[in-house]
């Protein structure tokens, strides 16, 4: 159930969302591909898909020897996958439960990862050092109310010549009715400063339920995302739109067989499911 145009201050919304994400941790520990990571050659589905888009912008096409900051890293499956590519990795998240799970995972895998608990909108003040790569991925910026402040953190974390990478759910996707029989819009595409309030005991992965069911999200059109990064002084290097997702947004979506989901039939070519942006700091 959702309620649109909700007025809520950032601190209240963040704390409410954090309680929900804390609850998700044991569910996601069972639903994510954690056991597969015992294989040193395994990479998460998300990182496996992101690396080909990121490599052309890296020195020698590799993360090896680079300093990388992963924003909104959750339980760390993508973070440790990036570390396995040879990067010195710092994972950032606001959920202490998620970071405890992530730290346990990296320890079990014998990987040296730095974990930092902070609101991503305060990341520069909390994280030590600067980075060749700042990375964030699926399901992240819809949880943030202020993209200008977010982009300022990204820019401040990057050293000159550094690269920012994001792949996330497309704003056009988030405007769709996930339960409709076709591609039918239901939610706002454009931002107006207000939040969308959700009350849902489920989560996008796993069969368990959460106790803290309320969350707040903010719609951000693609133009707002791009302009926030440009306004923070970053140079846009590439913008792509994709057809698959690493989670099942709608019951209509079909399994591609490689850990991703897509719209069936001709709908696959009618609307993007993701966007990818690569930007750099001069």
């Amino acid at each position: 159930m959702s309620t649109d145009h909700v007025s809520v201050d950032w601190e209240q919304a963040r704390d409410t969302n954090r309680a929900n994400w804390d609850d998700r941790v044991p569910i996601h520990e069972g639903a994510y591909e954690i056991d597969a990571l015992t294989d040193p050659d395994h990479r998460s589905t998300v990182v496996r898909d992101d690396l080909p888009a990121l490599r052309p912008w890296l020195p020698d096409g590799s993360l090896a020897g680079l300093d990388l900051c992963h924003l909104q890293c959750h339980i760390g499956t993508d973070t440790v996958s990036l570390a396995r590519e040879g990067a010195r990795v710092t994972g950032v998240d606001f959920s202490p439960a998620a970071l405890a799970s992530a730290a346990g995972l990296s320890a079990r895998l014998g990987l040296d990862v730095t974990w930092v608990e902070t609101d991503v909108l305060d990341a520069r003040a909390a994280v030590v050092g600067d980075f060749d790569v700042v990375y964030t991925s699926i399901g992240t910026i819809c949880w943030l109310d202020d993209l200008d402040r977010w982009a300022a953190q990204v820019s401040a974390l990057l050293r000159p010549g550094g690269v920012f990478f994001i792949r996330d759910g497309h704003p056009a996707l988030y405007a769709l009715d996930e339960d409709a029989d076709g591609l039918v819009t239901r939610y706002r595409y454009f931002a107006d400063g207000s939040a969308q309030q959700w009350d849902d005991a489920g989560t996008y992965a796993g069969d368990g339920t959460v106790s803290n069911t309320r969350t707040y999200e903010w719609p951000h059109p693609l133009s707002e995302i791009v302009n926030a990064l440009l306004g923070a002084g970053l140079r846009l290097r590439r913008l792509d739109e994709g057809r698959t997702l690493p989670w099942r947004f709608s019951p209509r979506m079909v399994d591609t067989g490689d850990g991703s989901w897509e719209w069936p039939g001709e709908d696959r070519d009618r609307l993007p499911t993701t966007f990818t942006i690569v930007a750099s700091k001069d």
Side-chain angles (χ1 to χ4, degrees):
M1 182 178 70
S2 66
T3 305
D4 206 352
H5 301 289
V6 174
S7 179
V8 59
D9 67 68
W10 169 244
E11 288 76 16
Q12 177 186 345
R14 179 197 59 207
D15 293 348
T16 301
N17 287 343
R18 182 167 51 211
N20 175 270
W21 279 93
D22 284 346
D23 284 355
R24 295 185 192 209
V25 170
I27 301 171
H28 290 176
E29 285 176 331
Y32 281 34
E33 48 193 331
I34 288 178
D35 289 344
L37 286 164
T38 58
D39 176 358
D41 294 325
H42 183 78
R43 306 292 183 267
S44 69
T45 298
V46 169
V47 167
R48 188 182 66 236
D49 289 346
D50 286 346
L51 282 174
L54 177 57
R55 283 192 179 109
W57 307 99
L58 301 175
D60 301 319
S62 172
L63 286 171
L66 300 184
D67 295 306
L68 182 148
C69 184
H70 180 190
L71 300 178
Q72 295 171 269
C73 65
H74 192 36
I75 62 173
T77 53
D78 300 332
T79 322
V80 298
S81 295
L82 294 164
R84 278 183 165 164
E85 291 294 310
R88 294 180 292 271
V89 177
T90 297
V92 174
D93 201 85
F94 73 157
S95 164
L99 288 175
S101 177
L105 175 62
S106 61
R108 291 194 302 275
L109 299 178
L111 295 170
D112 184 14
V113 178
T114 300
W115 305 102
V116 178
E117 179 186 335
T118 184
D119 179 342
V120 69
L121 298 184
D122 297 320
R124 176 61 284 177
V127 176
V128 175
D130 51 18
F131 298 88
D132 301 295
V133 180
V134 173
Y135 170 95
T136 190
S137 200
I138 293 290
T140 52
I141 59 174
C142 64
W143 302 100
L144 307 179
D145 71 334
D146 186 344
L147 290 196
D148 289 335
R149 183 175 165 189
W150 162 77
Q153 307 306 302
V154 170
S155 180
L157 288 166
L158 282 171
R159 57 181 54 129
V163 171
F164 172 62
F165 178 94
I166 180 172
R167 177 168 63 105
D168 208 338
H170 201 288
L173 175 81
Y174 291 150
L176 294 178
D177 183 343
E178 62 271 45
D179 297 318
D181 291 335
L183 301 180
V184 179
T185 56
R186 177 179 178 182
Y187 308 107
R188 272 188 295 141
Y189 178 83
F190 290 104
D192 65 4
S194 67
Q196 296 168 324
Q197 177 182 298
W198 299 82
D199 285 280
D200 186 354
T203 176
Y204 59 86
D207 297 325
T209 58
V210 300
S211 299
N212 294 284
T213 60
R214 178 162 296 180
T215 57
Y216 297 96
E217 298 181 32
W218 287 264
H220 299 295
L222 193 58
S223 56
E224 181 188 2
I225 299 165
V226 170
N227 287 330
L229 295 169
L230 294 176
L234 299 182
R235 179 187 297 185
L236 184 67
R237 307 305 296 267
R238 189 166 181 89
L239 169 63
D240 290 301
E241 295 168 293
R243 294 175 173 84
T244 64
L245 281 174
W247 88 95
R248 196 177 192 181
F249 170 81
S250 165
R252 292 184 61 240
M253 284 189 153
V254 296
D255 191 344
T256 64
D258 63 356
S260 298
W261 300 83
E262 64 184 10
W263 294 114
E266 294 182 354
D267 281 353
R268 185 177 187 274
D269 294 326
R270 286 179 171 149
L271 200 73
T273 58
T274 62
F275 73 90
T276 300
I277 291 173
V278 181
S280 62
K281 181 175 180 177
D282 291 335

